Amino acid sequence: MDFFVVVESIGMASASISGYLFAVKKGCDWLGVFVAAFLTALGGGVLRDVLVGRDIYSFTHYMPCVIVLVMIVVANRVKLYSKKERIEKKFVFIFTDAVDVICFSIVGAIVASEHGYNVFGVALIAFSNGVGGGILRDILLNEVPWFLSTGLYGTISIVVGVLYYAAFCLGFSSLFFTIFLLIFGIIFRLLAYYRGWSLPLLKD
């Protein structure tokens, strides 16, 4: 299987779980759970494909929706979440959210680079792919978008996109580098969250 597909599939699986956890927290029924998981897992990819002007992958292949459905069933069977728990403090949510934002940011950067976008275009597509699904999920469930209120969420997505673009231009965008970037991004995101890192606020 192509590594691109592997990375995107991992991101979809992780995002499906975080969407499921958010929907359960909000007391959604099964349709609400599916829509929340679908938007989280596939919404960023839809934005990416619209921006680069290619056929929407999630609507031309069965695998994305199958992944979402399977992960919802698995998450429900193993009872990943209780409504009494605080999802914001649950490691499985923090970790899966970190995995999906980095996976999707890398995929967005790969697509944008291969379409000949410059560094600003690659950064935008990586950001849209990385956090777009989470934004749609949060809007649907009436939450303040997570990337606005938690450590360096969107910033890390942009950094990952720019690093991939630099490697692509220099001819270093190999399988090894992509794996390294994936691990680096996940660790960076987890450290930023648990250490409370953030960009400085604007002052009057």
Side-chain angles (χ1 to χ4, degrees), residues 27-182:
C28 296
D29 60 15
W30 274 107
L31 177 60
V33 169
F34 172 75
V35 173
F38 181 92
L39 288 177
T40 310
L42 310 180
V46 172
L47 290 175
R48 173 202 67 212
D49 292 339
V50 169
L51 288 171
V52 301
R54 73 172 196 172
D55 291 339
I56 298 175
Y57 183 80
S58 301
F59 298 162
T60 55
H61 296 75
Y62 286 104
M63 184 182 67
C65 287
V66 170
I67 289 175
V68 173
L69 291 171
V70 169
M71 296 310 298
I72 289 173
V73 172
V74 170
N76 184 67
R77 290 297 297 271
V78 301
K79 301 187 183 303
L80 277 182
Y81 178 61
S82 167
K83 293 181 183 178
K84 296 180 180 180
E85 295 178 291
R86 290 188 62 190
I87 187 174
E88 298 85 356
K89 302 298 182 181
K90 194 172 178 64
F91 178 76
V92 67
F93 175 76
I94 305 303
F95 181 73
T96 55
D97 207 57
V99 171
D100 77 63
V101 71
I102 302 305
C103 284
F104 287 150
S105 298
I106 292 174
V107 169
I110 291 173
V111 172
S113 297
E114 292 180 348
H115 275 72
Y117 282 47
N118 64 21
V119 63
F120 300 106
V122 171
L124 173 62
I125 300 299
F127 177 82
S128 300
N129 202 162
V131 307
I135 292 174
L136 294 174
R137 172 201 66 203
D138 294 339
I139 292 173
L140 173 71
L141 298 178
N142 197 30
E143 291 275 344
V144 175
W146 235 51
F147 87 97
L148 294 176
S149 60
T150 185
L152 300 179
Y153 192 80
T155 304
I156 293 173
S157 177
I158 293 173
V159 168
V160 167
V162 171
L163 287 176
Y164 182 86
Y165 176 78
F168 180 84
C169 291
L170 295 172
F172 295 151
S173 55
S174 62
L175 174 61
F176 175 79
F177 175 80
T178 306
I179 294 174
F180 167 79
L181 188 58
L182 176 63

